[in-house]
């Protein structure tokens, strides 16, 4: 477990980080940062107050780990983000360039675990043993479903420990240990629904193969539902009904994809609390950055919903073998296409943001 903590493994951060796809900045983050709101002409005055999170002063910790500010409500070491005395665009000091091998390795394991295992075991056991009367249909699907999800389960407990352990450096800013983060609770809920489908599908002597082809589509339904609810609340100017990672209850809502980026990069991508604070500073400072995340939230929400609906229709209309393959493969193909389209869009938006920020004021 300690090895997982020390390695800067991006794991799920490969997808979430691609939504910001941020290059390394030459501008270093000042060491004496203490607030998270930055005003700049690029941000309309009416937007500056509305998008602020009601966070208490961030805790500053010395190199020895002794806090200089005791106003924080948690025992975690919380980085400070300072008032930018200059007009520099608040940087996001995180890059995927040094993590390409880890990203490739992790997603190779995920694809093997979530595509290769269920499909390979199904066809191998069904046509190798079942059709010859050597294994029951229930046993075929009990084995194939029981063997999948190993990588995701390991990841689940690794990130749980990284968030919950005393002195965690990736925990949500000013949240208690038990809160974990918003992504982890959604991860838990998604796994609950998936396990229900798999259990229901394997209790029959002749398991309904179409139900057992639905777990990934169900995950997309859950993902899109969450994003659309958060975006609806945000555009209705409703305050956060509960804590959503670093957005405390009662604070203005942020784009639905904001918390996914924050949590995945901070925990799975080893960006830590420093990244959480930097992302908050960038969001508050730049109207164009907020606009980009808002558009990406709708892009991924409606994309996930469309992919889930298409997968469901195909699973329940195609021939059973084809339906099983489509149910496990199509959602991942969609995710690959969406991520590929997202990266250049984000890079283009960030270049435009930088140009507008550095444009001479008349």
């Amino acid at each position: 477990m300690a090895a997982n903590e020390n390695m800067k493994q991006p794991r799920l951060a490969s997808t979430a980080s691609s939504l910001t796809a941020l290059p390394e900045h030459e501008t270093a983050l000042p060491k004496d940062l203490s607030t998270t709101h930055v005003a700049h002409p690029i941000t309309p005055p009416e937007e500056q107050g509305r998008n602020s999170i009601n966070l208490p002063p961030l805790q500053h910790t010395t190199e020895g780990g002794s806090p200089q500010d005791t106003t924080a409500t948690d025992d975690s070491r919380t980085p400070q983000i300072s008032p930018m005395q200059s007009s520099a665009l608040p940087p996001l000091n995180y890059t995927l360039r040094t993590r390409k091998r880890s990203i490739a390795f992790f997603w190779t394991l995920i694809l093997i675990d979530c595509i290769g295992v269920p499909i390979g075991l199904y066809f191998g056991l069904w046509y190798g043993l079942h059709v010859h009367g050597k294994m029951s249909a229930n046993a075929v699907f009990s084995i194939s479903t029981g063997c999948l999800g190993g990588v995701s389960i390991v990841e689940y407990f690794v990130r749980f420990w990284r968030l919950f352990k005393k002195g965690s450096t990736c925990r949500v800013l000013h949240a208690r240990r038990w809160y974990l983060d918003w992504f982890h609770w959604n991860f838990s809920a998604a796994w609950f629904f998936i396990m229900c489908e798999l259990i229901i599908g394997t209790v029959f002597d002749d398991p309904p193969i179409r139900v057992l082809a639905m777990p990934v589509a169900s995950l997309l339904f859950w993902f899109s539902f969450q994003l659309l609810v958060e975006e609806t609340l945000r555009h209705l100017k409703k305050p956060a009904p509960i804590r959503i990672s670093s957005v405390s209850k009662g604070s203005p809502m942020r784009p639905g994809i904001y918390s996914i980026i924050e949590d995945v990069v901070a925990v799975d991508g080893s960006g830590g609390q420093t990244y959480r604070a930097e992302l908050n500073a960038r969001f508050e400072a730049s109207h164009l950055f907020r606009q980009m995340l808002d558009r990406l939230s709708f892009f991924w929400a409606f994309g996930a919903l469309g992919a889930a609906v298409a997968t469901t229709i195909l699973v329940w209309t195609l021939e059973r073998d084809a339906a099983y393959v489509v149910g496990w493969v199509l959602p991942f193909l969609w995710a690959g296409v969406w991520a590929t389209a997202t990266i250049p869009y984000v890079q283009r938006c960030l270049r435009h943001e930088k140009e507008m920020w550095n444009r001479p004021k008349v």
Side-chain angles (χ1 to χ4, degrees):
M1 194 67 69
N4 282 298
E5 174 65 19
N6 293 329
M7 293 175 59
K8 294 186 176 180
Q9 297 178 350
R11 299 186 179 91
L12 299 176
S14 57
T15 300
S17 299
S18 71
L19 302 181
T20 49
L22 298 168
E24 297 181 83
H25 295 268
E26 296 181 359
T27 305
L29 190 68
K31 296 182 179 179
D32 59 343
L33 296 167
S34 59
T35 70
T36 57
H37 186 77
V38 183
H40 190 276
I42 198 173
T43 305
E46 65 274 13
E47 288 279 345
Q48 294 174 10
R50 184 165 63 88
N51 287 281
S52 300
I53 293 181
N54 298 323
L55 290 175
L58 295 178
Q59 181 182 7
H60 177 70
T61 306
T62 62
E63 293 183 359
S66 300
Q68 295 179 350
D69 187 341
T70 59
T71 60
T73 60
D74 191 23
D75 60 353
S76 61
R77 293 175 299 227
T78 308
Q80 259 184 319
I81 286 215
S82 82
M84 290 264 190
Q85 299 301 329
S86 67
S87 61
L89 183 67
L92 289 170
N93 297 300
Y94 190 87
T95 180
L96 299 179
R97 293 174 182 173
T98 59
R99 299 171 169 86
K100 291 181 179 179
R101 290 185 179 180
S102 296
I103 292 172
F105 177 72
F106 175 73
W107 281 103
T108 299
L109 291 180
I110 287 291
L111 293 177
I112 292 174
D113 187 43
C114 296
I115 296 179
V117 169
I119 294 177
L121 286 177
Y122 164 67
F123 283 101
L125 295 176
W126 188 269
Y127 291 101
L129 296 175
H130 175 72
V131 296
H132 300 295
K134 297 180 180 180
M135 181 176 287
S136 67
N138 181 273
V140 169
F141 287 105
S142 294
I143 293 173
S144 62
T145 58
C147 291
L148 67 85
V151 175
S152 298
I153 292 173
V154 170
E155 173 69 17
Y156 179 88
F157 286 104
V158 168
R159 79 184 317 277
F160 172 85
W161 174 247
R162 299 186 72 186
L163 286 164
F164 188 74
K165 69 178 182 178
K166 187 175 181 180
S168 170
T169 58
C170 60
R171 190 177 300 149
V172 171
L173 299 174
H174 308 301
R176 300 293 184 179
R177 293 172 66 185
W178 60 265
Y179 175 72
L180 303 177
D181 66 13
W182 182 245
F183 181 82
H184 202 84
W185 288 111
N186 277 283
F187 197 2
S188 302
W191 261 110
F192 172 79
F193 292 123
I194 290 174
M195 292 304 297
C196 287
E197 286 180 333
L198 296 178
I199 292 172
I200 292 173
T202 54
V203 297
F204 301 97
D205 292 334
D206 186 15
I209 189 173
R210 301 182 193 279
V211 172
L212 295 174
M214 284 295 296
V216 188
S218 299
L219 181 64
L220 294 186
F221 276 121
W222 178 257
F223 174 72
S224 61
F225 173 76
Q226 172 201 328
L227 288 178
L228 290 174
V229 168
E230 291 183 42
E231 282 299 314
T232 299
L233 292 175
R234 169 173 165 78
H235 285 272
L236 291 176
K237 297 182 174 57
K238 300 293 183 181
I242 57 176
R243 171 180 282 276
I244 302 176
S245 287
S246 293
V247 179
S248 59
K249 180 180 179 180
S251 296
M253 290 290 295
R254 293 194 169 185
I257 211 163
Y258 179 95
S259 63
I260 297 176
I261 296 172
E262 176 191 347
D263 294 342
V264 172
V265 175
V267 182
D268 306 281
S270 300
Q273 291 177 318
T274 298
Y275 183 82
R276 292 184 187 275
E278 290 174 349
L279 184 65
N280 177 63
R282 180 65 158 264
F283 182 86
E284 292 190 349
S286 173
H287 169 69
L288 293 179
F289 190 75
R290 294 194 293 272
Q291 188 179 71
M292 178 188 71
L293 293 185
D294 200 43
R295 291 171 178 170
L296 286 174
S297 295
F298 282 113
F299 178 68
W300 280 85
F302 286 115
L305 182 60
V309 171
T311 301
T312 301
I313 293 173
L314 292 174
V315 163
W316 290 93
T317 56
L318 293 175
E319 182 270 332
R320 54 176 285 151
D321 286 353
Y324 194 72
V325 173
V326 167
W328 288 100
V329 173
L330 184 59
F332 286 97
L333 292 178
W334 163 81
V337 172
W338 245 240
T340 301
T342 295
I343 292 173
Y345 170 74
V346 169
Q347 292 172 337
R348 184 168 64 252
C349 288
L350 295 179
R351 286 195 297 269
H352 177 64
E353 178 195 29
K354 186 176 181 179
E355 292 172 359
M356 292 298 294
W357 189 277
N358 295 326
R359 177 176 294 181
K361 310 303 181 293
V362 179

